[in-house]
Amino acid sequence: MTSFVSEGTKEIQWGRVLICGGTDWPKLGRKERGGKGEGNPDAPDLLEPHILRSLSNVKITSIYGSCCACHFIAIDIHGAAWMFGRNGPHCALGVTATDSISESAPRRLLPAEIGAKAGTKFVHAACGRSHSLLVDSAGRAWSAGANNFGQCGHAISPQIPTFKAIDGPYVDGERQRVVKAAAGITFSILLTDGGKVFSFGSGEKGQLGNGRTGEHITTGNKTGFDIEADPIPVRGLDDKVITDIASGSQHTIAVDSHGVVYVWGYNGYCRLGLGNQQDALIPKVVPQFAGPNEVTMGARVIAGPTNSVVIDKQQMYWMAGKWKNSGEGSAGSPYSSFRYIQDLMGCKISTASCGGVTHFALTADEDGGVMTVAYGQNAANGELGLGPDEPKSATKPTRHQPLSGIEVFSLAAGQHTTLFLAQPNDNFSELPRHPIEVDAPDLCLVCRKDNGDDDSPLECDKCDHPYHLGCLSPPLPTVPDGEWFCPQCTNETDVLAGSNPRSGEMVGAKRKAPAAKENAPKRKK
């Protein structure tokens, strides 16, 4: 999901990260897991959305995952990328000698650390099964991870161990400026600021959109397919201005500036919505979104592992392919063309995301807020996040009760885990935190005293360290409204942002909150 920019103020919308689902990154979805959530108490399945403590004081503008991946990337307001999840064995997160990066200690990466010019920021990202792409503000794309099919955009090798700039894409010898990326299992897609689309990786199922698979016999009587290690233009889109792209495991869906929707790649289970199961080696127009009625043309596109989603200009939600395990929409009876989901007909959908078996959508609530809708079968790790006392799966779209009153504005559904990006408010602050318990002292860190219930300490929303209101510098007259972070966590944020403590303040002093609640309850130890 991309960040939102207010046209009036040009301020980037930011939020806090919520997480639910599996966190045992090395074993998620693998047969040797040995139990669903009970196998590793240090990496539990989160059955409801939790505030991710490690990023709870970081202003995140966008989050990225994939229906075929077990890792995530988040980008903050300063253009830094935060990464966590499964890394090995192919260095999907650009680090070596580790199977995974914990969500409790995500990797923070700045463009300058990998060779970009000073002042460059990350603006977009994409996750493939075992590789990742980053896009910076200079229009360069960077990649790391599995590269056995050239899916990182570099000469074929087992892997690209650290993030490396992709050479291109080029048109008539001139490098194009990349603004978005998408990725599947063995291929990647780039979108330029001119609306041109480029691909690289394996062409086995037509994922490259270049009109051929290149099927041939190799040594040992094995079958091989075309591999493109450099970005090549996707055919048939030369005179189009593509505005959005999304990739599933082995297919891609795109929409142009007029709202015409294009699909290409693997068409098993009719995931391309073309009325057949024939792979599309070049982009095909989806007739339902080709006009002439403008309101029924495409506005946003989303890809799942075996399905595609289009949100049209009147904000209706359309699905094609296999998206559940029984009945209409299952393997035995997939949606051969795009159909609206009956239970979402009355909703105006603003955005959506598809995970390994999950589906999420955002729509307006009756009170004018945001309602999160979720559904999906066989969600064994709690990735729907419907609550510890609720079923892990939902056959039909259902209101996400734990997120009632939470202003979610972006979604990133992964293979077994889900991230939400939400604006902090009172309801948000009531959500559980992950990890639930942290090693925090019982007494105020300044005076080391227990002043009783009349002056109970205020706990940091990130680390749970307690402080009396009067022990802070400057002192706080009342409990702050909304989020509050202790001096240490505030100072960490300032350092990461490249700022210094204000003159006259002790290092890490908490600045006075801009607003306060007279009768707000204090957070107690």
Side-chain angles (χ1 to χ4, degrees):
M1 298 299 168
T2 56
S3 57
F4 169 80
V5 181
S6 169
E7 292 185 3
T9 62
K10 299 300 182 183
E11 292 182 356
I12 298 176
Q13 184 180 20
W14 59 267
R16 305 298 193 196
V17 175
L18 301 173
I19 183 172
C20 66
T23 62
D24 194 356
W25 307 112
K27 295 184 179 180
L28 277 178
R30 293 177 174 170
K31 293 181 180 179
E32 69 270 21
R33 179 174 171 79
K36 298 174 181 177
E38 293 91 27
N40 185 354
D42 295 326
D45 286 349
L46 306 175
L47 304 183
E48 62 182 319
H50 286 61
I51 298 171
L52 184 55
R53 283 185 188 267
S54 61
L55 296 178
S56 62
N57 61 338
V58 180
K59 296 179 179 180
I60 299 296
T61 60
S62 53
I63 50 178
Y64 306 90
S66 170
C67 61
C68 61
C70 292
H71 64 280
F72 293 90
I73 299 174
I75 296 177
D76 69 21
I77 60 172
H78 305 294
W82 299 79
M83 311 175 207
F84 58 89
R86 184 180 295 164
N87 178 65
H90 300 293
C91 307
L93 297 175
V95 292
T96 58
T98 181
D99 285 338
S100 63
I101 296 177
S102 171
E103 72 282 1
S104 296
R107 180 193 186 196
R108 181 177 185 265
L109 181 67
L110 290 170
E113 296 175 44
I114 53 177
K117 293 182 179 179
T120 305
K121 300 179 179 181
F122 289 124
V123 297
H124 200 267
C127 300
R129 172 170 288 180
S130 301
H131 71 292
S132 302
L133 300 173
L134 292 169
V135 179
D136 68 26
S137 55
R140 296 297 298 268
W142 305 74
S143 62
N147 191 50
N148 51 324
F149 293 100
Q151 60 263 51
C152 278
H154 301 290
I156 297 173
S157 60
Q159 63 198 33
I160 304 298
T162 59
F163 279 95
K164 182 178 178 182
I166 296 172
D167 186 21
Y170 292 96
V171 173
D172 297 329
E174 183 177 349
R175 187 175 69 82
Q176 303 298 294
R177 185 184 181 92
V178 178
V179 294
K180 287 185 180 181
I185 296 177
T186 57
F187 73 102
S188 302
I189 304 289
L190 299 178
L191 176 65
T192 71
D193 60 354
K196 305 307 176 189
V197 183
F198 295 81
S199 63
F200 44 94
S202 170
E204 179 180 356
K205 300 292 184 180
Q207 306 99 306
L208 300 182
N210 64 341
R212 53 175 288 162
T213 65
E215 184 175 354
H216 58 277
I217 302 300
T218 62
T219 304
N221 205 30
K222 296 180 179 179
T223 303
F225 300 90
D226 274 356
I227 291 176
E228 295 288 348
D230 296 314
I232 61 170
V234 173
R235 278 182 52 186
L237 300 178
D238 293 345
D239 58 342
K240 315 297 180 186
V241 178
I242 301 299
T243 58
D244 196 14
I245 53 173
S247 293
S249 301
Q250 296 175 305
H251 77 287
T252 296
I253 181 169
V255 61
D256 70 15
S257 56
H258 297 292
V260 178
V261 174
Y262 306 86
V263 289
W264 66 94
Y266 186 45
N267 198 20
Y269 300 123
C270 305
R271 69 194 69 186
L272 301 184
L274 297 174
N276 57 56
Q277 295 199 58
Q278 183 178 353
D279 297 348
L281 306 187
I282 60 173
K284 301 286 187 181
V285 172
V286 180
Q288 287 164 268
F289 307 106
N293 189 357
E294 185 174 354
V295 297
T296 63
M297 298 179 76
R300 302 197 68 166
V301 291
I302 300 96
T306 55
N307 68 286
S308 300
V309 172
V310 174
I311 301 173
D312 68 19
K313 292 187 178 181
Q314 56 186 345
Q315 296 184 288
M316 284 192 67
Y317 179 99
W318 300 82
M319 178 86 82
K322 173 187 177 294
W323 55 276
K324 60 179 183 177
N325 294 324
S326 61
E328 288 286 314
S330 66
S333 184
Y335 284 10
S336 59
S337 59
F338 281 89
R339 304 188 202 176
Y340 56 77
I341 300 297
Q342 189 75 31
D343 296 282
L344 293 176
M345 275 196 66
C347 300
K348 288 190 175 294
I349 306 299
S350 58
T351 190
S353 184
C354 298
V357 295
T358 56
H359 309 277
F360 294 88
L362 301 180
T363 185
D365 206 348
E366 295 175 351
D367 61 2
V370 175
M371 179 172 71
T372 303
V373 178
Y375 60 106
Q377 291 181 310
N378 286 9
N381 297 100
E383 52 265 52
L384 282 180
L386 298 177
D389 300 322
E390 299 296 325
K392 292 182 179 180
S393 297
T395 304
K396 294 183 177 182
T398 182
R399 181 190 184 98
H400 200 294
Q401 292 295 343
L403 291 176
S404 293
I406 308 296
E407 298 291 314
V408 177
F409 66 90
S410 188
L411 306 159
Q415 191 170 11
H416 301 281
T417 314
T418 307
L419 299 189
F420 308 89
L421 194 54
Q423 296 176 342
N425 59 17
D426 289 343
N427 291 324
F428 178 91
S429 298
E430 296 302 317
L431 292 172
R433 286 163 171 72
H434 173 68
I436 297 292
E437 298 292 336
V438 293
D439 186 17
D442 293 323
L443 299 177
C444 171
L445 262 69
V446 178
C447 69
R448 307 289 179 178
K449 295 179 181 179
D450 182 355
N451 294 343
D453 290 342
D454 291 337
D455 188 18
S456 58
L458 180 67
E459 288 183 357
C460 173
D461 276 329
K462 180 177 181 180
C463 68
D464 281 356
H465 286 185
Y467 292 80
H468 289 121
L469 299 180
C471 290
L472 293 166
S473 176
L476 294 180
T478 58
V479 174
D481 187 13
E483 298 177 313
W484 181 79
F485 299 105
C486 72
Q488 181 177 346
C489 292
T490 301
N491 191 59
E492 287 175 357
T493 306
D494 288 343
V495 170
L496 291 177
S499 61
N500 296 314
R502 291 178 179 176
S503 176
E505 284 186 350
M506 70 175 189
V507 174
K510 176 70 178 76
R511 297 174 190 135
K512 188 173 181 179
K517 276 187 177 180
E518 289 295 334
N519 299 314
K522 296 177 181 178
R523 292 182 279 269
K524 299 179 181 179
K525 289 300 293 178

